[in-house]
Amino acid sequence: MGRESAQQQTARIIAAVTLPHHKVLGAGDAFVLEAGDENEQEQLTLDLAKAVKADVVRLSNGICIILRD
């Protein structure tokens, strides 16, 4: 059992890239960028992820989050 918990990976949320209709109440240590439209959201997300060498996940509600181990 000890090995299982030692092998767990945790990712840290670096940022969330949202659209104007998204409601984000708090982001903890992460910061939130608001894009004007979906094209800008995609470009900002990719640029930021590349800059910090992180992974991107698009949530089912359309918010993009940038994660790093």
Side-chain angles (χ1 to χ4, degrees):
M1 281 192 198
R3 289 184 188 178
E4 290 172 351
S5 63
Q7 292 177 353
Q8 287 181 339
Q9 293 182 350
T10 57
R12 195 176 87 189
I13 298 175
I14 305 297
V17 184
T18 67
L19 294 171
H21 66 273
H22 292 127
K23 303 289 187 242
V24 178
L25 300 177
D29 292 339
F31 64 97
V32 178
L33 296 172
E34 184 178 296
D37 59 32
E38 288 182 11
N39 291 331
E40 183 183 17
Q41 180 189 34
E42 183 175 343
Q43 191 61 53
L44 283 171
T45 301
L46 294 175
D47 290 346
L48 185 57
K50 184 178 178 181
V52 297
K53 297 178 181 163
D55 296 317
V56 173
V57 175
R58 181 180 293 271
L59 303 178
S60 60
N61 64 359
I63 294 174
C64 295
I65 57 173
I66 299 168
L67 304 166
R68 188 168 65 188
D69 291 333

